[in-house]
Amino acid sequence: MIRPLLLRKHIGVDKSSNFFILVSQFPNFFSQQNRMWIRGKTLGSGSFGFVSIAKTIPSSFPDDEEDQLFFDLPPIIAVKSAEFSCSESLQRERLLLHEFQNCPQIIHCYGADVSEEDGHLLYNMLLEFASGGSLADYVHGSQYGLLEEEVKQFTRSVLLGLSYIHAEGYAHCDIKPANILLVDDEEGNRTAKISDFGLATKVSKRRTGRKR
């Protein structure tokens, strides 16, 4: 059984209680009744936890305009989950993706929540679903490799994403085909988007350029 606890930006622990207390700067964010999504099959797993496909459930819960945007989820999303007690890296990644939310070449994060599933408390990051899978899977599944036009298109997307990341003062530190996701829009256009910021590091502006 899934009991989602809605989460905005900050998670804290009430040391006087045996249960986690979610802390938010936004009012009326906490609800145990409103289920936003239903977990589907597992798409992959790693040291961070696991990723599942999920179907969202429309909600009319929040009256606040900003809250309504948070709940305006597409029909299908990807959910990246980890045990709450081991979710520090995932929580950090969610905050980084919030900083990069205006870049169309970086996978979009819709927010996060916490759910109780089969007796486990899970931290869940709600992500844009990449229907094309990863670039690594796409290359391995291509009998004759990538078309020249695809190489140009994907390379351009990745470079634009990296440029945005570096302009914000970060280094991704783990760029590889498995961390480049292919997202298709409603018109069938495919965009390569950078994902997995678990190793991303903040760097000084001076270190991003060459020394003279």
Side-chain angles (χ1 to χ4, degrees), residues 107 128-139 142 146 150 153-155 157-158 177-185 189-195:
I107 206 72
E128 181 177 17
F129 175 63
S131 58
S134 72
L135 180 58
D137 292 334
Y138 186 63
V139 171
S142 301
L146 301 183
E150 290 179 315
Q153 177 185 347
F154 297 159
T155 300
S157 292
V158 172
N179 289 338
I180 305 300
L181 301 181
L182 305 179
V183 178
D184 298 323
D185 63 20
N189 299 314
R190 176 163 288 182
T191 302
K193 300 195 177 191
I194 300 173
S195 69

CSV table of all heavy atoms in Angstrom, one decimal, residues 107 128-139 142 146 150 153-155 157-158 177-185 189-195:
chain,number,residue,atom,x,y,z
A,107,ILE,N,17.0,16.9,-18.0
A,107,ILE,CA,15.8,16.2,-17.7
A,107,ILE,C,15.0,17.0,-16.6
A,107,ILE,O,15.6,17.6,-15.7
A,107,ILE,CB,16.1,14.8,-17.2
A,107,ILE,CG1,14.9,13.9,-17.4
A,107,ILE,CG2,16.6,14.8,-15.8
A,107,ILE,CD1,14.7,13.5,-18.9
A,128,GLU,N,10.7,13.8,-15.6
A,128,GLU,CA,10.2,13.7,-16.9
A,128,GLU,C,10.5,12.3,-17.5
A,128,GLU,O,11.6,11.7,-17.2
A,128,GLU,CB,10.9,14.7,-17.7
A,128,GLU,CG,10.6,14.8,-19.2
A,128,GLU,CD,11.3,16.0,-19.9
A,128,GLU,OE1,12.4,16.5,-19.3
A,128,GLU,OE2,10.9,16.4,-21.0
A,129,PHE,N,9.5,11.7,-18.1
A,129,PHE,CA,9.7,10.3,-18.6
A,129,PHE,C,10.4,10.3,-20.0
A,129,PHE,O,9.9,11.1,-20.9
A,129,PHE,CB,8.4,9.6,-18.7
A,129,PHE,CG,8.5,8.2,-19.4
A,129,PHE,CD1,9.3,7.2,-18.8
A,129,PHE,CD2,7.8,7.9,-20.6
A,129,PHE,CE1,9.4,5.9,-19.4
A,129,PHE,CE2,7.9,6.7,-21.2
A,129,PHE,CZ,8.7,5.7,-20.6
A,130,ALA,N,11.5,9.6,-20.2
A,130,ALA,CA,12.2,9.6,-21.4
A,130,ALA,C,11.8,8.3,-22.2
A,130,ALA,O,12.3,7.2,-22.0
A,130,ALA,CB,13.7,9.5,-21.2
A,131,SER,N,10.8,8.5,-23.1
A,131,SER,CA,10.3,7.3,-23.8
A,131,SER,C,11.3,6.7,-24.7
A,131,SER,O,11.1,5.5,-25.1
A,131,SER,CB,9.0,7.8,-24.6
A,131,SER,OG,9.4,8.8,-25.5
A,132,GLY,N,12.3,7.4,-25.1
A,132,GLY,CA,13.3,6.9,-26.0
A,132,GLY,C,14.4,6.1,-25.3
A,132,GLY,O,15.3,5.6,-25.9
A,133,GLY,N,14.3,6.1,-23.9
A,133,GLY,CA,15.4,5.4,-23.2
A,133,GLY,C,16.7,6.2,-23.1
A,133,GLY,O,16.7,7.4,-23.4
A,134,SER,N,17.8,5.6,-22.8
A,134,SER,CA,19.0,6.2,-22.7
A,134,SER,C,19.7,6.2,-24.1
A,134,SER,O,19.4,5.4,-24.9
A,134,SER,CB,19.9,5.6,-21.7
A,134,SER,OG,20.4,4.3,-22.1
A,135,LEU,N,20.7,7.1,-24.3
A,135,LEU,CA,21.5,7.1,-25.5
A,135,LEU,C,22.3,5.8,-25.6
A,135,LEU,O,22.4,5.3,-26.7
A,135,LEU,CB,22.4,8.3,-25.5
A,135,LEU,CG,23.3,8.5,-26.7
A,135,LEU,CD1,22.5,8.5,-28.0
A,135,LEU,CD2,24.2,9.7,-26.6
A,136,ALA,N,22.7,5.3,-24.5
A,136,ALA,CA,23.5,4.0,-24.5
A,136,ALA,C,22.6,2.9,-25.1
A,136,ALA,O,23.0,2.1,-25.9
A,136,ALA,CB,23.9,3.6,-23.1
A,137,ASP,N,21.3,2.8,-24.6
A,137,ASP,CA,20.4,1.7,-25.1
A,137,ASP,C,20.1,1.9,-26.6
A,137,ASP,O,20.0,1.0,-27.3
A,137,ASP,CB,19.1,1.8,-24.3
A,137,ASP,CG,19.3,1.3,-22.8
A,137,ASP,OD1,20.3,0.6,-22.6
A,137,ASP,OD2,18.5,1.8,-22.0
A,138,TYR,N,20.0,3.2,-27.0
A,138,TYR,CA,19.6,3.5,-28.4
A,138,TYR,C,20.8,3.1,-29.3
A,138,TYR,O,20.5,2.5,-30.4
A,138,TYR,CB,19.3,5.0,-28.5
A,138,TYR,CG,18.8,5.4,-29.9
A,138,TYR,CD1,17.6,4.9,-30.4
A,138,TYR,CD2,19.5,6.3,-30.7
A,138,TYR,CE1,17.2,5.3,-31.6
A,138,TYR,CE2,19.1,6.7,-31.9
A,138,TYR,CZ,17.9,6.1,-32.4
A,138,TYR,OH,17.5,6.5,-33.6
A,139,VAL,N,22.0,3.4,-28.9
A,139,VAL,CA,23.2,3.0,-29.7
A,139,VAL,C,23.3,1.5,-29.8
A,139,VAL,O,23.5,0.9,-30.9
A,139,VAL,CB,24.4,3.6,-29.1
A,139,VAL,CG1,25.7,3.1,-29.8
A,139,VAL,CG2,24.4,5.2,-29.3
A,142,SER,N,20.8,-0.1,-32.2
A,142,SER,CA,20.9,0.3,-33.6
A,142,SER,C,21.8,-0.6,-34.4
A,142,SER,O,23.0,-0.7,-34.1
A,142,SER,CB,21.4,1.8,-33.7
A,142,SER,OG,20.5,2.7,-33.0
A,146,LEU,N,24.2,5.2,-35.3
A,146,LEU,CA,23.4,6.4,-35.4
A,146,LEU,C,23.6,7.1,-36.8
A,146,LEU,O,24.7,7.0,-37.4
A,146,LEU,CB,23.8,7.4,-34.3
A,146,LEU,CG,23.7,7.0,-32.9
A,146,LEU,CD1,24.0,8.1,-31.9
A,146,LEU,CD2,22.3,6.5,-32.6
A,150,GLU,N,21.5,12.4,-36.5
A,150,GLU,CA,21.2,12.2,-35.1
A,150,GLU,C,22.4,12.5,-34.2
A,150,GLU,O,22.3,13.1,-33.1
A,150,GLU,CB,20.8,10.7,-34.9
A,150,GLU,CG,19.5,10.3,-35.5
A,150,GLU,CD,19.2,8.8,-35.3
A,150,GLU,OE1,20.1,8.0,-35.5
A,150,GLU,OE2,18.1,8.4,-34.9
A,153,GLN,N,22.5,16.2,-33.9
A,153,GLN,CA,21.3,16.7,-33.0
A,153,GLN,C,21.6,16.4,-31.5
A,153,GLN,O,21.5,17.3,-30.7
A,153,GLN,CB,20.1,16.0,-33.5
A,153,GLN,CG,18.8,16.3,-32.6
A,153,GLN,CD,17.6,15.6,-33.0
A,153,GLN,OE1,17.6,14.9,-34.1
A,153,GLN,NE2,16.6,15.6,-32.2
A,154,PHE,N,22.0,15.2,-31.2
A,154,PHE,CA,22.2,14.8,-29.8
A,154,PHE,C,23.4,15.5,-29.3
A,154,PHE,O,23.4,15.9,-28.1
A,154,PHE,CB,22.4,13.3,-29.7
A,154,PHE,CG,21.2,12.5,-30.1
A,154,PHE,CD1,21.3,11.1,-30.5
A,154,PHE,CD2,20.0,13.0,-30.1
A,154,PHE,CE1,20.2,10.4,-30.9
A,154,PHE,CE2,18.8,12.3,-30.5
A,154,PHE,CZ,19.0,11.0,-30.9
A,155,THR,N,24.5,15.6,-30.1
A,155,THR,CA,25.7,16.3,-29.6
A,155,THR,C,25.4,17.8,-29.3
A,155,THR,O,25.8,18.3,-28.2
A,155,THR,CB,26.8,16.3,-30.7
A,155,THR,OG1,27.1,14.9,-30.9
A,155,THR,CG2,28.1,17.0,-30.2
A,157,SER,N,22.5,19.0,-28.4
A,157,SER,CA,21.7,19.1,-27.1
A,157,SER,C,22.6,19.0,-25.9
A,157,SER,O,22.4,19.7,-24.9
A,157,SER,CB,20.6,18.0,-27.2
A,157,SER,OG,19.7,18.3,-28.2
A,158,VAL,N,23.5,18.0,-25.9
A,158,VAL,CA,24.3,17.7,-24.8
A,158,VAL,C,25.2,19.0,-24.5
A,158,VAL,O,25.4,19.4,-23.3
A,158,VAL,CB,25.2,16.5,-25.0
A,158,VAL,CG1,26.2,16.3,-23.9
A,158,VAL,CG2,24.3,15.2,-25.0
A,177,PRO,N,26.9,8.0,-22.2
A,177,PRO,CA,25.6,7.7,-22.9
A,177,PRO,C,24.5,7.2,-22.0
A,177,PRO,O,23.3,7.5,-22.3
A,177,PRO,CB,26.1,6.6,-23.9
A,177,PRO,CG,27.5,6.9,-24.2
A,177,PRO,CD,28.1,7.4,-22.9
A,178,ALA,N,24.8,6.5,-20.9
A,178,ALA,CA,23.8,6.0,-20.1
A,178,ALA,C,23.1,7.1,-19.3
A,178,ALA,O,21.9,6.9,-18.8
A,178,ALA,CB,24.4,5.0,-19.1
A,179,ASN,N,23.7,8.2,-19.2
A,179,ASN,CA,23.1,9.4,-18.5
A,179,ASN,C,22.5,10.4,-19.4
A,179,ASN,O,22.2,11.5,-18.9
A,179,ASN,CB,24.1,10.0,-17.5
A,179,ASN,CG,24.5,9.1,-16.3
A,179,ASN,OD1,23.7,8.2,-16.0
A,179,ASN,ND2,25.6,9.3,-15.7
A,180,ILE,N,22.5,10.1,-20.7
A,180,ILE,CA,21.8,11.0,-21.6
A,180,ILE,C,20.5,10.3,-22.0
A,180,ILE,O,20.5,9.2,-22.6
A,180,ILE,CB,22.7,11.2,-22.9
A,180,ILE,CG1,24.1,11.7,-22.5
A,180,ILE,CG2,22.0,12.1,-23.9
A,180,ILE,CD1,24.0,13.0,-21.8
A,181,LEU,N,19.4,10.9,-21.7
A,181,LEU,CA,18.1,10.4,-22.0
A,181,LEU,C,17.4,11.0,-23.2
A,181,LEU,O,17.6,12.2,-23.4
A,181,LEU,CB,17.2,10.5,-20.7
A,181,LEU,CG,17.7,9.9,-19.4
A,181,LEU,CD1,16.7,10.1,-18.3
A,181,LEU,CD2,18.0,8.4,-19.6
A,182,LEU,N,16.7,10.2,-23.9
A,182,LEU,CA,16.0,10.7,-25.2
A,182,LEU,C,14.5,10.9,-24.9
A,182,LEU,O,13.8,9.9,-24.6
A,182,LEU,CB,16.3,9.6,-26.3
A,182,LEU,CG,17.7,9.3,-26.6
A,182,LEU,CD1,17.9,8.3,-27.7
A,182,LEU,CD2,18.5,10.6,-26.9
A,183,VAL,N,14.1,12.1,-25.0
A,183,VAL,CA,12.7,12.5,-24.7
A,183,VAL,C,12.0,12.9,-26.0
A,183,VAL,O,12.5,13.7,-26.8
A,183,VAL,CB,12.7,13.6,-23.7
A,183,VAL,CG1,11.2,14.0,-23.4
A,183,VAL,CG2,13.4,13.3,-22.4
A,184,ASP,N,10.9,12.3,-26.3
A,184,ASP,CA,10.1,12.6,-27.4
A,184,ASP,C,8.9,13.5,-27.1
A,184,ASP,O,8.2,13.2,-26.1
A,184,ASP,CB,9.5,11.3,-28.1
A,184,ASP,CG,10.6,10.3,-28.5
A,184,ASP,OD1,11.6,10.8,-29.1
A,184,ASP,OD2,10.4,9.1,-28.4
A,185,ASP,N,8.7,14.5,-27.8
A,185,ASP,CA,7.5,15.4,-27.6
A,185,ASP,C,6.3,14.9,-28.3
A,185,ASP,O,6.4,13.9,-29.0
A,185,ASP,CB,7.8,16.9,-27.9
A,185,ASP,CG,8.2,17.1,-29.4
A,185,ASP,OD1,7.8,16.2,-30.2
A,185,ASP,OD2,8.8,18.1,-29.7
A,189,ASN,N,9.3,14.9,-32.1
A,189,ASN,CA,10.7,15.4,-32.1
A,189,ASN,C,11.4,14.8,-30.9
A,189,ASN,O,10.9,14.8,-29.8
A,189,ASN,CB,10.7,16.9,-32.0
A,189,ASN,CG,10.0,17.5,-33.2
A,189,ASN,OD1,10.2,17.1,-34.4
A,189,ASN,ND2,9.1,18.5,-33.0
A,190,ARG,N,12.7,14.4,-31.1
A,190,ARG,CA,13.4,13.8,-30.0
A,190,ARG,C,14.6,14.7,-29.5
A,190,ARG,O,15.3,15.3,-30.3
A,190,ARG,CB,14.0,12.5,-30.5
A,190,ARG,CG,14.9,11.8,-29.5
A,190,ARG,CD,15.1,10.3,-29.9
A,190,ARG,NE,13.9,9.5,-29.6
A,190,ARG,CZ,13.8,8.2,-29.8
A,190,ARG,NH1,14.8,7.5,-30.3
A,190,ARG,NH2,12.7,7.6,-29.5
A,191,THR,N,14.7,14.9,-28.2
A,191,THR,CA,15.7,15.7,-27.6
A,191,THR,C,16.6,14.9,-26.7
A,191,THR,O,16.0,14.1,-25.9
A,191,THR,CB,15.1,16.9,-26.8
A,191,THR,OG1,14.3,17.7,-27.7
A,191,THR,CG2,16.2,17.8,-26.3
A,192,ALA,N,17.9,15.0,-26.8
A,192,ALA,CA,18.8,14.3,-25.8
A,192,ALA,C,18.9,15.2,-24.6
A,192,ALA,O,19.2,16.4,-24.7
A,192,ALA,CB,20.1,14.1,-26.5
A,193,LYS,N,18.7,14.7,-23.4
A,193,LYS,CA,18.7,15.5,-22.2
A,193,LYS,C,19.6,14.8,-21.1
A,193,LYS,O,19.7,13.6,-21.0
A,193,LYS,CB,17.3,15.6,-21.6
A,193,LYS,CG,16.3,16.3,-22.5
A,193,LYS,CD,15.0,16.7,-21.8
A,193,LYS,CE,14.1,17.4,-22.8
A,193,LYS,NZ,13.0,18.1,-22.0
A,194,ILE,N,20.4,15.7,-20.5
A,194,ILE,CA,21.3,15.2,-19.5
A,194,ILE,C,20.5,14.9,-18.2
A,194,ILE,O,19.6,15.6,-17.8
A,194,ILE,CB,22.3,16.3,-19.2
A,194,ILE,CG1,23.1,16.7,-20.4
A,194,ILE,CG2,23.3,15.9,-18.1
A,194,ILE,CD1,24.0,17.9,-20.3
A,195,SER,N,20.9,13.7,-17.6
A,195,SER,CA,20.3,13.3,-16.3
A,195,SER,C,21.4,12.8,-15.4
A,195,SER,O,22.6,12.9,-15.7
A,195,SER,CB,19.3,12.1,-16.6
A,195,SER,OG,20.1,11.0,-17.0
